Amino acid sequence: MRTYPYPPDIEAEITFVPTEEGGRKAPAFSGYRPQFYFGGLDYDADQEYPDVESVAPGQTARTFLRLLSPDYIVGQVFTGMEFQVREGSRVVARGRVTKILHLEESAERVRSKR
């Protein structure tokens, strides 16, 4: 099990696109870092799957997102917001934010290091 130095920014539910519809060929594991896409922009986000070991194409899972640049999205993300999970320009999953967790604290931590 992977350990993280900081608490997650966002909790979401994501559904991976089935392989036959252009999704991933292999399952995703905690530590997977695709792009969190919304509002016309990509943001790098590390994903953690707290309830399962892996998520196969076509499956739905709860995920925790840890954004690499949380300070850029504070005030733009809200509960119920839909987003895409992308690998480059390819959509591999679709999701919905279920809770904002530690986004403000993460953004402040990043700002204080700049």
Side-chain angles (χ1 to χ4, degrees):
M1 176 179 242
R2 182 178 178 155
T3 58
Y4 292 88
Y6 303 109
D9 301 318
I10 296 168
E11 178 182 290
E13 180 179 83
I14 61 167
T15 301
F16 278 86
V17 175
T19 302
E20 57 275 5
E21 293 176 23
R24 293 174 52 86
K25 292 182 172 107
F29 297 86
S30 289
Y32 173 55
R33 197 170 93 183
Q35 289 80 45
F36 171 69
Y37 178 82
F38 73 95
L41 297 171
D42 284 311
Y43 301 91
D44 288 329
D46 184 282
Q47 293 189 11
E48 175 187 2
Y49 309 111
D51 306 320
V52 295
E53 187 174 313
S54 65
V55 186
Q59 288 185 323
T60 299
R62 180 171 71 122
T63 186
F64 292 138
L65 301 173
R66 288 176 177 83
L67 293 136
L68 272 58
S69 301
D71 51 323
Y72 290 118
I73 68 165
V74 169
Q76 298 181 54
V77 177
F78 54 90
T79 301
M81 183 186 90
E82 294 184 354
F83 61 90
Q84 294 177 342
V85 176
R86 302 190 337 171
E87 293 178 357
S89 62
R90 181 173 65 137
V91 176
V92 296
R94 290 179 177 75
R96 183 179 54 81
V97 174
T98 54
K99 291 181 189 171
I100 304 297
L101 300 171
H102 302 278
L103 185 58
E104 292 278 344
E105 300 96 276
S106 293
E108 187 54 41
R109 183 183 68 250
V110 169
R111 283 188 204 113
S112 70
K113 291 182 179 182
R114 289 190 181 153

